[in-house]
């Protein structure tokens, strides 16, 4: 099976790190390719950046939709995931949704430890979108930006352990989800110190997608994720116009 892992931001070092994680956890015989959009923000920490990244991610899926068996969107806001499910019948998984559902199989309540404070609202909306508000104990911020975590991972570990301990002690969390793809390489260190499962969303999404593909399932094209309606898209890129111009 061939899986494309898309980092929706345009920071090359993070794309490389995400790809290393995906390849580490992929099964033998799974072919992992990693990329980022050709344009967009260096990091995603607010609604403005997320919406730009979503469009760039959709274009990337359209560009490669005939070349891969499934797609992973490796940003914890899951930007553009539902729209990507409309433009292909191949499975598209966001790392937030994948990690949250995995967490629910490993504990009664999970908490998300993420980057700067403003990102918490994005993740709260994401939890609601996938219907897991009752299972989410809390969303906690390290106060560090995406790029700061990339530049100083050991300081990030200190902040993440502190917030993780508070989530377990005060909020009732039994599983910790890492609320940024850039935090992924730190999962083992955190789990050792916290004593509960710590989940990297990229790893969760790759393993879940492998299972879906091995089971032979694809995205339902009835109702919510039906192919886009055929209509004109004035001013949009040729890639996006190709989606609706060829719609049934």
């Amino acid at each position: 099976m061939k899986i494309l892992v898309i980092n929706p931001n345009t920071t090359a070092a993070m794309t490389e790190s995400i790809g290393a994680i995906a390849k580490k956890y992929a099964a033998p015989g799974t072919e992992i390719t990693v990329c980022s959009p050709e344009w967009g923000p260096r990091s995603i920490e607010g609604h403005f950046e997320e919406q730009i990244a979503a469009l760039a991610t959709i274009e990337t899926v359209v560009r490669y939709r005939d070349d891969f068996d499934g797609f992973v969107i490796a940003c914890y806001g899951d930007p553009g995931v539902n729209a990507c499910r409309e433009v292909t019948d191949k499975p598209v998984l966001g790392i937030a949704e994948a990690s949250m559902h995995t967490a629910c199989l490993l504990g009664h309540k999970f908490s998300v430890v993420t980057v700067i404070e403003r990102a918490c609202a994005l993740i709260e909306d994401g939890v609601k979108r996938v219907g897991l508000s009752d299972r989410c104990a809390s969303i906690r911020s390290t106060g560090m930006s995406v790029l700061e975590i990339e530049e100083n991972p050991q300081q990030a570990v200190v902040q993440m352990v502190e917030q993780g301990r508070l989530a377990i002690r005060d909020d009732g969390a039994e599983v910790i989800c890492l609320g940024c793809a850039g935090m992924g390489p730190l999962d083992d260190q955190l789990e050792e110190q916290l004593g509960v499962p710590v989940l990297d969303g990229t790893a969760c999404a790759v393993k879940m997608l492998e299972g879906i593909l091995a089971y032979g399932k694809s995205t339902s094209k009835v109702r919510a994720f039906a192919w886009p309606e055929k209509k004109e898209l004035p001013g949009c890129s040729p890639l996006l116009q190709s989606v609706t111009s060829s719609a049934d």
Side-chain angles (χ1 to χ4, degrees):
M1 57 186 72
K2 297 173 64 177
I3 293 174
L4 180 63
V5 179
I6 303 170
N7 170 24
N9 76 42
T10 53
T11 296
M14 191 173 296
T15 303
E16 183 178 346
S17 175
I18 289 168
I21 292 169
K23 292 172 183 177
K24 174 182 176 181
Y25 289 103
T30 297
E31 182 180 329
I32 298 288
T33 302
V34 61
C35 73
S36 61
E38 295 180 352
W39 58 277
R42 291 293 183 192
S43 62
I44 303 166
E45 293 160 318
H47 294 91
F48 174 71
E49 295 155 354
E50 184 177 65
Q51 293 302 313
I52 294 173
L55 184 56
T57 299
I58 296 163
E59 285 190 338
T60 304
V61 170
V62 173
R63 178 177 290 111
Y64 296 115
R65 60 181 174 173
D66 295 328
D67 301 326
F68 294 90
D69 302 310
F71 301 87
V72 170
I73 310 302
C75 168
Y76 214 78
D78 288 352
V81 166
N82 283 343
C84 290
R85 289 169 176 159
E86 290 189 9
V87 301
T88 178
D89 59 353
K90 297 170 182 178
V92 180
L93 272 61
I95 65 171
E97 187 171 9
S99 71
M100 292 176 198
H101 281 296
T102 302
C104 289
L105 303 176
L106 300 176
H108 182 63
K109 292 270 191 175
F110 66 87
S111 285
V112 180
V113 175
T114 190
V115 291
I116 59 176
E117 182 68 29
R118 69 178 298 167
C120 293
L122 293 174
I123 294 175
E124 182 180 355
D125 289 345
V127 173
K128 292 176 182 176
R129 185 173 62 249
V130 299
L132 294 176
S133 295
D134 290 343
R135 304 293 296 275
C136 182
S138 61
I139 301 165
R140 287 186 166 271
S141 166
T142 61
M144 297 181 69
S145 72
V146 171
L147 298 182
E148 286 173 339
I149 290 171
E150 186 73 17
E151 294 166 0
N152 194 349
Q154 290 314 305
Q155 179 59 34
V157 169
V158 172
Q159 298 297 326
M160 293 160 69
V161 167
E162 178 182 349
Q163 294 304 316
R165 285 174 174 160
L166 290 172
I168 295 164
R169 187 191 70 189
D170 297 343
D171 306 333
E174 298 169 324
V175 180
I176 300 296
C177 294
L178 302 182
C180 172
M183 294 175 168
L186 307 176
D187 57 350
D188 290 341
Q189 292 184 61
L190 292 167
E191 187 165 309
E192 183 177 353
Q193 296 191 54
L194 294 175
V196 301
V198 174
L199 302 181
D200 165 48
T202 299
C204 292
V206 167
K207 299 312 297 181
M208 192 174 289
L209 182 52
E210 285 180 327
I212 291 170
L213 293 174
Y215 194 24
K217 302 304 177 183
S218 58
T219 298
S220 173
K221 305 310 284 184
V222 176
R223 299 187 179 90
F225 303 133
W227 299 102
E229 299 294 324
K230 188 170 185 177
K231 63 183 68 174
E232 294 183 3
L233 299 174
C236 288
S237 70
L239 267 175
L240 294 181
Q241 291 190 43
S242 72
V243 173
T244 58
S245 64
S246 62
D248 293 333

